[in-house]
Amino acid sequence: MKKGLKTLALLFFALCCTGMLVLSGTAQAEDLLDVRNSPKDPVKVIFDTDMGNDSDDALALAILHNMVERGKCELLGITLTKCNPYAAKYCKAFNIQYGRPDIPIGLVKDGKETHDGRYVRRIMELKKADGSVAFPIPEGWEPEDSVVLLRKLLAAAEDHSVVIVQVGFSTNLARLLDTPADDISPLTGKELAAKKVRLVSAMAGAFTFQNDQFIAHKEYNVVVDIPMAQKLCKEWPTPIVFSGFELGVDVLVRECTLLNDYMSPEPNILQQSVIFYREGWGLSQSTWDLTSVLFVVRPEAGRNYFSLSEAGTVTVRDDGTTFFTADQAGKHRCFISSPEQKIRVEEAFVNLCSEKH
């Protein structure tokens, strides 16, 4: 079975390279291994995040910026599912330090969470030794509304070209589905998603492909907004791949990397964010959100970072637990990772998060 899937993936890759394969909006199994039309194309990404609740969001954003630098990714915009102004300002400061101040940022309205968390406000209030702001942003800058920004970005995109990396709550994407036609686009939100989005790569849920350890786990990104997670799973029109809690929990960005590889420029927004977040806990950080990014920016099958489940449907129960049901007609798949693959993934994160910038 594994040999057969590998053969299909290689055939798909060859056809893409020769231009013989016309891609449709409905991805086949082998199609999910590579979301580009050709190996030279950058992946067009919208990053949907609850920035500030954990430092893995910041590490994931660093990977996106580093892959933009390599020409492998185009970061179309950042939409926040955490309803906190410091989260938006933090993303603006982050983009500035990485040399891309103009990436648009959207902030959810009336979201489920408003608290600062452990680092976004502290980063924005941090001062240098001379008393100046460590990570300044333009005075008076304000984010857009997340759902409005999603509509703008999708309306401007080529058909079936966008990958949404959702590493926060499902609030923004589920709300998008209910938006009507407007001055931005004659399409409804659901029609825009179906026409413009190639794939959603979501860090959400917990699954039992390898053991039952997390069978009753209520994963945070799901439980904060259960109705919207249920809606997303039931109504989103394009394929979704899920990275469950069990995948990233024991794949780490380790203390040694943090202390030795994030030293330039000074001060370094990524290093300081993880230090603030992990204060009192030890600096090694689980990499849940990073897995959803890695899947789309390093898509080549031969890298062997992840395997995928068969097609099926992810269901969110009313208590926030999740389960997967196999179904050849289903739009969902889940990441599966062997111990050997997890070692490869951890090494990839060492290289992709901590590049000098």
Side-chain angles (χ1 to χ4, degrees):
M1 182 65 176
K2 290 182 180 178
K3 186 176 180 181
L5 286 174
K6 183 176 181 180
T7 301
L8 286 171
L10 291 172
L11 176 61
F12 172 78
F13 178 82
L15 289 172
C16 284
C17 290
T18 59
M20 294 172 60
L21 186 64
V22 178
L23 296 174
S24 68
T26 303
Q28 303 300 316
E30 64 273 18
D31 190 2
L32 290 175
L33 293 171
D34 195 333
V35 292
R36 306 166 299 177
N37 287 335
S38 82
K40 294 183 179 180
D41 291 341
V43 181
K44 299 179 185 299
V45 173
I46 297 172
F47 187 55
D48 191 56
T49 171
D50 62 330
M51 186 67 73
N53 284 335
D54 200 315
S55 58
D56 59 336
D57 296 79
L59 290 160
L61 183 54
I63 291 180
L64 288 170
H65 275 287
N66 286 330
M67 295 306 280
V68 172
E69 192 71 26
R70 293 183 177 199
K72 299 297 186 181
C73 173
E74 183 179 347
L75 184 53
L76 301 178
I78 300 170
T79 52
L80 287 144
T81 61
K82 183 181 177 69
C83 187
N84 179 282
Y86 287 98
K89 292 175 181 179
Y90 173 90
C91 288
K92 183 69 171 178
F94 200 104
N95 292 344
I96 289 170
Q97 182 162 96
Y98 277 76
R100 298 175 187 89
D102 297 327
I103 293 172
I105 298 168
L107 180 64
V108 65
K109 288 189 176 180
D110 301 319
K112 292 289 186 178
E113 277 197 347
T114 61
H115 63 81
D116 292 339
R118 291 170 64 92
Y119 66 93
V120 291
R121 182 195 284 259
R122 292 176 70 186
I123 286 290
M124 297 314 300
E125 294 178 346
L126 189 66
K127 299 294 198 308
K128 297 180 181 179
D130 63 4
S132 62
V133 175
F135 304 106
I137 64 173
E139 186 176 353
W141 177 85
E142 293 291 340
E144 299 186 57
D145 174 89
S146 279
V147 177
V148 173
L149 180 57
L150 282 170
R151 287 189 60 83
K152 288 180 180 178
L153 295 174
L154 294 179
E158 296 178 3
D159 291 355
H160 311 304
S161 66
V162 176
V163 178
I164 299 177
V165 177
Q166 180 189 289
V167 296
F169 322 133
S170 299
T171 313
N172 287 332
L173 299 194
R175 288 181 180 178
L176 171 69
L177 295 176
D178 288 337
T179 57
D182 56 14
D183 292 341
I184 297 171
S185 171
L187 302 178
T188 67
K190 193 167 187 177
E191 290 168 340
L192 270 174
K195 187 175 183 180
K196 303 292 187 172
V197 177
R198 176 71 168 273
L199 178 71
V200 174
S201 181
M203 193 279 115
F207 305 98
T208 58
F209 294 100
Q210 292 166 297
N211 60 64
D212 292 339
Q213 181 180 359
F214 300 107
I215 192 169
H217 184 75
K218 300 176 182 180
E219 194 274 315
Y220 191 76
N221 287 346
V222 172
V223 299
V224 167
D225 200 344
I226 292 172
M228 294 296 97
Q230 291 173 325
K231 181 179 180 67
L232 184 78
C233 289
K234 290 178 182 177
E235 299 182 24
W236 188 263
T238 74
I240 306 175
V241 291
F242 289 86
S243 179
F245 178 88
E246 72 284 354
L247 196 93
V249 66
D250 55 0
V251 178
L252 304 177
V253 171
R254 298 182 185 273
E255 180 174 342
C256 178
T257 295
L258 180 72
L259 294 180
N260 291 286
D261 297 345
Y262 300 151
M263 301 176 70
S264 176
E266 169 62 34
N268 184 283
I269 194 168
L270 180 59
Q271 183 188 59
Q272 192 60 60
S273 299
V274 181
I275 289 172
F276 279 160
Y277 179 74
R278 298 295 306 175
E279 195 170 57
W281 296 340
L283 292 180
S284 293
Q285 168 68 46
S286 294
T287 59
W288 298 286
D289 294 351
L290 286 68
T291 60
S292 292
V293 170
L294 182 65
F295 180 80
V296 297
V297 298
R298 277 283 183 86
E300 297 84 3
R303 295 188 187 277
N304 194 29
Y305 290 138
F306 308 106
S307 303
L308 288 174
S309 71
E310 58 189 317
T313 300
V314 169
T315 302
V316 178
R317 300 183 179 95
D318 289 341
D319 67 353
T321 56
T322 53
F323 68 96
F324 174 86
T325 304
D327 177 1
Q328 288 193 347
K331 293 187 176 76
H332 303 159
R333 292 176 182 268
C334 298
F335 294 2
I336 302 172
S337 189
S338 68
E340 293 77 16
Q341 286 174 313
K342 288 182 178 181
I343 293 171
R344 295 172 67 89
V345 168
E346 186 168 308
E347 286 298 316
F349 292 153
V350 169
N351 293 325
L352 294 178
C353 293
S354 62
E355 293 173 347
K356 304 300 183 187
H357 58 273

